[in-house]
Each structure stands twice: as C-alpha cells, then as structure tokens.
Amino acid sequence: MTENTQQTPASNPELPTQYAPAEVEGKLYERWVERGYFEADATSDKPPFTVVIPPPNVTGSLHLGHAFEHTLIDALTRRKRMQGYETLWQPGMDHAGIATQNVVERELAKEGKSRHDLGREAFIDRVWQWKGESGGQISGQMKRLGDGVAWSRERFTMDEGLSQAVQTIFKKLYDDELIYRAERIINWCPRCLTAISDIEVEYQDDDGELVSIRYGEGEDTIVVATTRAETMLGDTAVAVHPEDDRYKHLVGKEIELPLTGRRIPVVADEHVDPEFGTGAVKVTPAHDPNDFEIGQRHGLPSLAVMDEHAIITAHGPFQGLDRLEARSAIVGALRAEGRIVAEKRPYVHSVGHCSRCKTTIEPRLSMQWWVKVGPLAEAAGDAVRDGRVKIHPQEMEKRYFDWVDNLHDWCISRQLWWGHRIPVWYGPDGETVCVGPDEQPPSGEGWTQETDVLDTWFSSGLWPFSTLGWPEQTESLAKFYPNSVLVTGYDILFFWVARMMMFGLYAMDGTPPFHTIALHGMVRDQFGKKMSKSFGNAVNPLDWMDKYGSDALRFTLARGANPGVDVPIGEDWVQGSRNFANKIWNATRFALMNGATIEGELPDPSQMSATDRWILSKLNKTVAEVDAFYDDFQFSKLSEALFHFAWDEVFDWYVELSKTTFFAGGEQAEVSGRVLGEVLDVMLRLLHPVVPFVTETLWTTLTGRESVVVAEWPKDSGFRDEAAEQEIELVQQVVTEVRRFRSDQGLQPGQKVPAEITLTGTALTPHEAAIRQLLRLQPAGEDFHATASLPVAGATVALDLSGTIDVAAERKRLTKDLGAAEKEKAQANAKLGNEAFLAKAPDNVVDKIRTRLTKADADIARITAQLANLPQS
C-alpha cells in the first residue's frame, strides 16, 4: 500500500530521520560484548542451549558461505537466549594444517628460504608468529556480521587444552587397536608433499587423452584403455570379469607387458565391468585405489614407479621424467612398437586436484596411520537410526547412512610440520610406543618421534567436547555437552559431521555430540551458479555490509535459507532487504511521533477498535507461526512471515488505517497508540535474531529498556479475533479493488476524486473515513455526477471521474489495446485449431501459444471492463 506521507508536527529527537547502519553497528556490538550478553555461565540453573561454530581456518576470511551459516546460527542462539536458555555459541578457529603451512612457506619463499632452511622447530615458531600477526582476521569480520559468540571461550585447535585432548584420544584409540599403521593407497599432492583427505580434493573436467594399448603377443593379447599411460610401468596384472567369455581362455595365463620386459598374469575379478570399454583393465596396485583392492584379493605385488614429486623411478629410459613428460614419451614408444590401437584427444574426464595448490593429485601407495572406522561408524549410524540424533531435513538421512555404512578406514597422517605431531616413538630395535599426555616419551639413543602430523579433521572432530575442557570433567562439559544442534552445510556431512559423531560417541561413553544436525545448502549467485573467483561471480560480503548494512545481508541470507537447499543471492536482493530495514525505521519513527507507547497494560479489547483487535490477532498468529518455523529450522519461511507481517499488515495496513484515529486525537488515539506500541515491541523482538542492529536501536528507543538482546522472547497470548479479521479483510477488499480501478483509469496515486460510498453492511461503517483517506476520495459535492460505480465487499463506491481524465483519449487508448488483444487471441486460436501444426510443433511451443491465448482472454476481459467503467462522453 502507498504510505500517507502526512505526519503530525511532533518530532522525536532520539531517532534520526534516516537509518545509517555504519554509524550504529560497530558501537552496538562493542556494547553487547562489554556487557557480557554473549557469555555463558556453566553454573547457571537455566537450561542449556549449545552450538559450536564450524571452526573457520585461521588463514581464512569471511566469505558468503560463512556469513550465511553464521546468520542462521546467530538467529537460533539469539532467540534461545531471549527464551531464557543459558546459551553458548562456542567460537574458535582451525589450525588448517596444509593451508597454513603453505601460507608461511610462501612468505619464506619471498625471503629466498624454505622451511628446511629453518628446521622443524624454528618453522613452527614462525607459523605461530604468523598466526599472532596475521591469522584470524575472520574474528573481526564475524563481529561486523553481529555474531553473538562467547569470545572469552574462544579456542584454537592447536592450543594447549585441545592438544591434550588430541593426544588423549589418539592414545585411547591406539590402545583399543582402532589406530594402526599400514601401507595403503592415498591421495597424494606432489606439490604439498603430503597425503590429503577426500574433502581436500577438488574434481574438475580436464582435457586429457585416452589411449588403447595392446598387451601380449599373438593370440594371447588384450586391449586396455587408460588416461594415465605412465602408470603402465607399474602394472602387475590385467583383470577381466569372471563371466566374460571373451577372455576365459586367458585367465590364469601370463602376457607380455610392453616396454618393460616383464610378463603379468590375467586375473578374473568381479570389480571389472564387462560392458565398459574392452572389458579388460590394467591393474596398477601402487597407483590406483581400486587396483590396490584387486591386488590385495589376488596377492599381486605393488610396484611404485613414481616418487613423492611424481617423478618416474622405474628403471629404463623413462626414469627421471615428470609424470606428464613420461606419459607423452611412453605413448610415443608404444606407438613406435605398434601397440597403440586407438587414441582419443582431447578426452574430457574428471580429474582430482589439490584444493590448496591446484596440482593434480596422484593416487600413491604409502605407509600411513589409519583409524579403523568400522565400530566407530556403526555407532554413528545407530545414533541416528535409534533417534538419539535427528538429521534435518530428514531426507538427508539416506546420504548420511550411505556414507557411514560404507566408510573406509581413515588416513589420519599428513607429511607436514604444522599440526598435531603423532605421539608415537620408534625405538632402535623396531619398538613402537604411543605416549599419552601425562606420560614421558622414551628417551635414549635411537629413539625418534614420528615426523607426521594428524589430519586437521582429527582435531576438529573433537570440537564439541574438546572446547569444553575434555578430557577434564569440567563444569562446562557437564553443562553444555551434548550440543543442542549442529548447523552446517550438507557438503561436509560426510567429513566433519561423521567424524564428530564417531569421536563424540567414542569419547563420551555413547553420548552423541549433538541432538540435531541441521543441514543447509551452499550460497550461489542469483542465477544458481556456484560462486568462484574464476567465474568472476565471487562476492566479498564485507562490501555488501559496507554498502547496505549487516542487517540487510543477514536478512537476505536468512530469507533464502530452505533446509538442505542451495541459496541464490544477488545484490539487488540485499538492496531490497536494506529497503526493508529502512521501512522498519521510518514506520517506527512515525509511530513514536504519533503516540506509540508500551506504558501501562493493554486496554481491554472492548475499548479497542476492530483495527486494533485485528492487528493483535494477526500479531499472535505471527508469533505462533514464527516459533513453529524456528523449531523446524525453516529460516526462509519465518523470515517471509516476519517480512509480510511487518511490511504488509503493520506498516501498509494497520498504520494507514489508524492514521485518521491518530490525527483526530483523544481517547481512541491513546488506545491505538498503546496497541501500536505493543505491536512494535513484539515485532521488533521477533525480528531481532535475524536483523539485530536496527531492532536494537528501535526497541531500546521505543521501550527505554536496556537491550533487546536480553529481552524476553514473545509468547503467543492466545488472543484471536476472527470477527475483527474478517471485518478488516472487507476493508482491504474495498481499498484494493478501488485502487486497482484507479490505476486502470490512469489516475495518479495522490490524485483526489469525488466519491459516494454506500455501505450496505454495518461492518464497514466505522471505516469510511479511513477508506476515504487511503483512496484519496473527497466527499461528493452538489455537482457530483457518478461516472463509475464499483460494487465490492458489501459496499458500493461511486466515482466522479469527469475532469480527472481525458475520457476520449483514454477510450481511444483502451480500444487500441483491445484490438491488439483480440488479434492476439485470433492468431493463437488459429494455430491451436490447426491439426497439422499441432502434430509437428514441439510441446513447449504449443504450451507457449496456449499461455498467449490465456493472457489474451484475460486482457480482453480487463480492457472491456475498463471501457465499461469509463464516463459516458
């Protein structure tokens, strides 16, 4: 609705005419922190509500994904705090082993040095120095966003307490024979020189080559295809399916492996897909995870033909070549021998790259430390199956079970210096000793500590309880474990979430780390495309916060947050949310100028107008609706409900309908002022968790109280007045219909028109003055001549449009539009009546023509009605 710009001459010096986020947000946040609003007391008798922050990397800065996730968590925790819970939002950062080591190594490279020039201890000291000076800038950015975290409890995955927790659980797992050392295939980065986890591998389509190679001689030949010809140097078999008749005569025989002078067996294995390619695959156990499994089943040797830098080590002419150089050289040599049966270039296929340095990863057989996840994963699955942990949305449970029920043992060692060093010592005579945090490591000649560090996910998997003081039985652990809810992206359900589930259940005697896992999607651009610097669509959220305010960004993100679904976002949407914040500001300012107050009890409903009772009924319905949506993690729906209540019901209808009352003054104006104060009080408290800054300023001004952060969360009083709602709906119908007519006739919104209003029912009678004001309708004078009559909602509104529009020009325009609509209809009908056309035209083309016909019919009906309502010339 169009807001009446008329205002009383009163002013409110406490509230500026315009909302300026930059002048408000920083000061408010400092005040909240100074007053300790976000801190959590483990000795409190309040019920606990605990959420951990998914710890951002110490190397990171705030991106839209962080802003999105933090907005949702902050909204949950702010509401729970207002509901009387002892609320802990646990902050902290991850040491991010590979990422951090790479950052510091790049800094050293600028000085012409490497980490090996410093040595391990000095390099680690240098990393700590970097952390103190440059790491953790995201903390300041979180404050910009308004994150209500308990800063005094901030933890770091390499701090002393968390290091003790890591060593404790490693020792416990080792003693329970759930940690072991073995040679297996891992993801290896030849640039970072370490094993990396699956989540640190990014897959992308690369242009490669697919070559088909003939193995063997004479009748004993098999053709295999590969994109990694260089690995053939390490082949130890060719595998076929046991039921593949083409190769049964070869199973058990040995055939020649080209270029090597070796002969390798042909084995039958059900892993092979006989329908794919030639139905035969080369088996390189040292350089492919599937081949490794085949090798294990058939007792094949594993021949490593590359070193940690991906340089060929196999004896022969290819030794010393980089893997890509070797690939070209080997294909050339095979071609020269007539072994190449087919070549396809380019061959686009999915290739894994290190997420840190973008180097193509190399599957590599390596001696590493592993967690035996079988019993841990089974417990993690059972906790969801028996209802101790809920996954929301529920349809994500299947993905969770698909993962934990098929989980492979977890490689936890990394060939880095920065991280939790594995607490294992090796003795001079082959001894292996695992040392707990309170134990002395063995000493003496020949004893050395394992050089590898633990995967970052190992320490972050302990996050829900290590941050609370475990392994010590602290008050915080007793109060705040398990967490109430984990809010995180579905993209790390299998990595971080599964590891926390396994470790939490194992370390905390079967108590899962959280009651609920609330999964959200990923932030994408307004066209649904993944945000990336390479795509040119990446956005720095700080830029939008600078431009539109933090509340605008938060509201946009929350409004798009459907459980488990990706979130599109564009700058114009953030601008729209800024307009919403401005609307709240301006409407509250108007209300304060016109007597809105929270002083005293609400008047008895018998003293209220129908408009007052209607808005209070709508208010309580909104409270109930918002509560239900919060409990179901429906952030988008609760944001929509609040937006439409605030903008549509309160600002566009209630305030507008009440203006005649406010301008008239008197007892009824005082009643409506108290009602409006109540509505704003509750509405601002409902909005606060999502848009904390503007609501804090407005609520404290309205109420004169300390802070909305610690105000009581609104409760549904149960007040409902369906009769008042129906009455105001009639008023809305009259106003909406007449406004539509005015617009159709080309009248300006502020243009005044003489009118007679006939109210055939008593329900509308008290609202005639408000209807006239909203519709800019003047009383009918002596020369009134009704040129149009609109029956709507039990009322008849007769308008005198003579002198307000050029009737002849308007009739000419509408007649032209009617002719165009009728022509469009005739053309659409002609095509839809043509059987030959319908038989040949695609379905989408036919659907478009049907849509055109429907629109043409609607246009004809609308224009005909407009012509009928024009004054007779």
Side-chain angles (χ1 to χ4, degrees):
M1 294 180 62
T2 303
E3 184 175 312
N4 189 337
T5 57
Q6 180 181 358
Q7 295 184 353
T8 60
S11 62
N12 191 317
E14 296 184 73
L15 209 55
T17 55
Q18 291 184 327
Y19 177 48
E23 298 176 10
V24 170
E25 294 175 351
K27 296 175 183 177
L28 285 182
Y29 192 86
E30 288 179 10
R31 185 190 309 161
W32 292 336
V33 173
E34 288 171 0
R35 294 179 178 178
Y37 292 153
F38 305 140
E39 296 303 322
D41 182 2
T43 65
S44 165
D45 58 2
K46 296 178 182 178
F49 183 82
T50 316
V51 182
V52 294
I53 190 173
N57 288 351
V58 66
T59 59
S61 60
L62 192 73
H63 57 64
L64 271 179
H66 290 129
F68 173 56
E69 187 167 78
H70 290 200
T71 293
L72 305 187
I73 300 174
D74 197 40
L76 287 177
T77 53
R78 284 178 182 269
R79 172 177 175 254
K80 286 296 182 180
R81 189 178 292 112
M82 295 171 74
Q83 286 181 315
Y85 287 79
E86 193 62 41
T87 302
L88 169 60
W89 183 8
Q90 174 66 54
M93 286 184 293
D94 193 289
H95 65 278
I98 295 176
T100 306
Q101 181 157 316
N102 281 348
V103 167
V104 178
E105 285 195 87
R106 284 196 294 269
E107 292 295 316
L108 285 174
K110 295 175 183 177
E111 304 170 15
K113 298 178 182 177
S114 74
R115 60 184 164 115
H116 300 285
D117 293 324
L118 272 66
R120 184 169 192 140
E121 298 304 319
F123 176 77
I124 292 173
D125 288 343
R126 181 68 176 262
V127 179
W128 279 108
Q129 178 185 341
W130 174 87
K131 177 188 180 291
E133 295 172 356
S134 307
Q137 63 173 314
I138 197 171
S139 296
Q141 296 165 345
M142 287 165 57
K143 295 174 182 178
R144 282 285 314 278
L145 189 65
D147 287 3
V149 299
W151 287 111
S152 69
R153 292 173 172 266
E154 186 175 13
R155 303 303 299 269
F156 180 56
T157 52
M158 285 283 286
D159 69 29
E160 184 176 351
L162 269 64
S163 295
Q164 183 183 25
V166 167
Q167 196 171 352
T168 298
I169 202 163
F170 187 99
K171 170 70 171 173
K172 180 174 170 60
L173 288 163
Y174 183 88
D175 290 346
D176 288 345
E177 299 183 347
L178 292 174
I179 281 183
Y180 64 94
R181 192 169 182 246
E183 197 173 39
R184 298 278 182 84
I185 293 284
I186 44 85
N187 301 311
W188 181 264
C189 177
R191 155 62 182 80
C192 298
L193 298 180
T194 181
I196 61 175
S197 67
D198 290 338
I199 199 172
E200 291 163 324
V201 178
E202 292 181 348
Y203 288 89
Q204 66 185 47
D205 288 340
D206 285 357
D207 287 344
E209 60 181 354
L210 181 68
V211 293
S212 297
I213 310 168
R214 178 173 51 82
Y215 284 18
E217 291 290 347
E219 294 182 358
D220 295 346
T221 62
I222 292 182
V223 175
V224 299
T226 181
T227 58
R228 302 168 67 220
E230 69 278 9
T231 63
M232 68 164 290
L233 301 176
D235 287 359
T236 56
V238 171
V240 297
H241 193 275
E243 303 301 321
D244 195 331
D245 291 335
R246 293 172 294 176
Y247 304 117
K248 281 189 175 181
H249 69 289
L250 289 177
V251 173
K253 290 186 178 182
E254 289 189 343
I255 60 174
E256 180 187 359
L257 177 65
L259 305 182
T260 65
R262 290 192 290 114
R263 296 183 67 82
I264 58 176
V266 178
V267 299
D269 195 280
E270 292 188 351
H271 169 76
V272 180
D273 180 0
E275 303 297 324
F276 183 77
T278 64
V281 297
K282 59 192 288 298
V283 181
T284 320
H287 293 280
D288 184 275
N290 293 321
D291 293 3
F292 179 79
E293 296 297 331
I294 293 174
Q296 292 290 296
R297 288 193 288 271
H298 297 276
L300 301 173
S302 297
L303 301 181
V305 296
M306 279 181 252
D307 66 12
E308 65 270 24
H309 298 280
I311 302 297
I312 300 297
T313 58
H315 293 297
F318 312 108
Q319 186 175 6
L321 294 180
D322 171 83
R323 56 184 166 168
L324 298 182
E325 296 171 336
R327 181 177 301 170
S328 177
I330 287 170
V331 171
L334 290 167
R335 189 184 299 113
E337 289 191 4
R339 294 283 186 172
I340 301 296
V341 176
E343 297 180 68
K344 185 176 182 180
R345 294 188 186 88
Y347 178 72
V348 179
H349 61 133
S350 181
V351 178
H353 296 258
C354 174
S355 63
R356 304 300 177 191
C357 68
K358 310 309 177 187
T359 302
T360 300
I361 64 107
E362 189 65 42
R364 183 169 187 257
L365 185 63
S366 179
M367 183 67 75
Q368 302 285 343
W369 285 91
W370 303 81
V371 171
K372 186 185 297 182
V373 299
L376 302 175
E378 182 180 3
D382 290 344
V384 174
R385 286 189 171 95
D386 63 25
R388 282 176 290 158
V389 178
K390 305 288 186 185
I391 293 181
H392 190 279
Q394 190 174 0
E395 54 264 28
M396 287 287 182
E397 282 187 2
K398 182 180 184 302
R399 297 179 66 178
Y400 176 80
F401 291 136
D402 286 346
W403 179 259
V404 297
D405 292 347
N406 299 284
L407 203 55
H408 295 112
D409 285 0
W410 170 21
C411 175
I412 56 172
S413 46
R414 299 290 180 267
Q415 290 65 54
L416 303 170
W417 287 356
W418 173 247
H420 294 281
R421 193 167 176 180
I422 291 176
V424 169
W425 271 256
Y426 303 114
D429 298 318
E431 305 96 328
T432 300
V433 176
C434 180
V435 177
D438 300 321
E439 300 171 350
Q440 288 295 321
S443 58
E445 187 175 349
W447 283 95
T448 58
Q449 186 179 356
E450 169 65 69
T451 57
D452 288 355
V453 301
L454 289 165
D455 177 13
T456 297
W457 296 100
F458 191 95
S459 51
S460 61
L462 315 181
W463 193 248
F465 52 93
S466 64
T467 53
L468 298 173
W470 188 90
E472 301 299 324
Q473 297 305 305
T474 64
E475 287 182 328
S476 291
L477 188 65
K479 178 74 173 181
F480 296 114
Y481 187 91
N483 284 202
S484 307
V485 61
L486 173 73
V487 179
T488 192
Y490 65 73
D491 54 319
I492 57 173
L493 173 64
F494 315 129
F495 303 101
W496 187 46
V497 179
R499 282 150 174 69
M500 286 191 291
M501 285 285 283
M502 291 190 296
F503 280 166
L505 290 159
Y506 175 73
M508 300 300 292
D509 300 321
T511 301
F514 17 73
H515 297 302
T516 302
I517 302 168
L519 298 170
H520 59 72
M522 301 172 67
V523 178
R524 297 182 178 272
D525 72 11
Q526 64 206 69
F527 306 108
K529 190 174 182 180
K530 180 181 178 181
M531 285 192 172
S532 166
K533 290 181 180 178
S534 60
F535 294 155
N537 62 350
V539 173
N540 183 345
L542 295 172
D543 291 341
W544 281 352
M545 287 192 281
D546 288 342
K547 195 170 183 180
Y548 303 111
S550 299
D551 284 333
L553 177 64
R554 289 171 62 114
F555 192 72
T556 304
L557 292 167
R559 202 174 178 187
N562 289 298
V565 178
D566 289 346
V567 182
I569 185 172
E571 184 170 0
D572 55 338
W573 303 344
V574 184
Q575 184 175 354
S577 295
R578 188 272 311 274
N579 295 343
F580 178 53
N582 288 342
K583 183 78 169 182
I584 300 170
W585 183 275
N586 293 333
T588 303
R589 185 170 178 272
F590 169 85
L592 290 169
M593 292 164 61
N594 287 276
T597 180
I598 65 162
E599 297 302 321
E601 296 294 324
L602 268 177
D604 188 84
S606 62
Q607 298 176 269
M608 299 178 189
S609 66
T611 307
D612 293 335
R613 298 195 305 276
W614 161 75
I615 196 62
L616 289 176
S617 185
K618 287 283 190 179
L619 175 67
N620 280 286
K621 285 183 177 180
T622 301
V623 171
E625 192 176 30
V626 169
D627 273 333
F629 287 144
Y630 261 117
D631 292 341
D632 198 35
F633 305 102
Q634 298 280 357
F635 295 97
S636 177
K637 290 182 179 179
L638 72 88
S639 299
E640 283 295 313
L642 287 168
F643 175 86
H644 289 297
F645 175 73
W647 195 304
D648 299 343
E649 309 288 8
V650 179
F651 305 148
D652 278 0
W653 283 109
Y654 179 73
V655 170
E656 296 296 322
L657 288 169
S658 300
K659 279 181 177 177
T660 53
T661 302
F662 290 138
F663 296 154
E667 185 176 333
Q668 191 57 51
E670 292 182 5
V671 170
S672 293
R674 179 63 186 90
V675 170
L676 180 54
E678 181 75 11
V679 170
L680 290 176
D681 171 24
V682 173
M683 184 192 75
L684 292 170
R685 284 186 281 150
L686 289 174
L687 281 165
H688 173 72
V690 181
V691 284
F693 294 107
V694 68
T695 51
E696 171 80 341
T697 305
L698 295 175
W699 189 84
T700 53
T701 303
L702 171 70
T703 66
R705 295 174 184 167
E706 179 185 352
S707 173
V708 70
V709 177
V710 290
E712 183 179 354
W713 180 253
K715 293 184 177 65
D716 176 10
S717 71
F719 178 80
R720 302 288 190 275
D721 194 324
E722 298 298 334
E725 289 193 37
Q726 293 173 13
E727 184 173 325
I728 301 305
E729 284 174 12
L730 292 177
V731 175
Q732 291 172 325
Q733 289 176 35
V734 171
V735 173
T736 301
E737 189 60 34
V738 176
R739 276 193 172 153
R740 183 180 297 115
F741 174 77
R742 286 175 57 109
S743 176
D744 288 344
Q745 302 307 315
L747 296 177
Q748 295 300 314
Q751 192 171 351
K752 296 181 179 180
V753 178
E756 282 184 346
I757 301 179
T758 304
L759 304 174
T760 56
T762 56
L764 287 169
T765 303
H767 305 286
E768 181 173 352
I771 291 171
R772 284 188 175 277
Q773 178 177 312
L774 290 171
L775 292 171
R776 309 299 188 266
L777 300 181
Q778 294 177 316
E782 292 182 2
D783 56 348
F784 177 80
H785 174 64
T787 59
S789 183
L790 301 175
V792 56
T796 301
V797 180
L799 304 171
D800 183 356
L801 300 182
S802 57
T804 60
I805 60 173
D806 185 335
V807 176
E810 186 67 10
R811 187 178 298 280
K812 183 177 180 181
R813 182 184 70 82
L814 290 172
T815 300
K816 182 180 178 181
D817 291 347
L818 181 61
E822 288 173 338
K823 182 179 179 181
E824 175 76 359
K825 178 179 180 178
Q827 290 175 343
N829 274 328
K831 288 187 176 182
L832 294 174
N834 185 334
E835 294 296 334
F837 171 78
L838 293 177
K840 295 179 181 179
D843 290 344
N844 65 316
V845 172
V846 176
D847 288 342
K848 285 182 180 178
I849 294 171
R850 289 195 177 108
T851 301
R852 284 167 51 192
L853 177 60
T854 301
K855 182 178 184 301
D857 281 333
D859 288 344
I860 290 169
R862 174 179 56 80
I863 297 168
T864 302
Q866 289 177 239
L867 283 166
N869 283 317
L870 279 177
Q872 297 300 313
S873 55

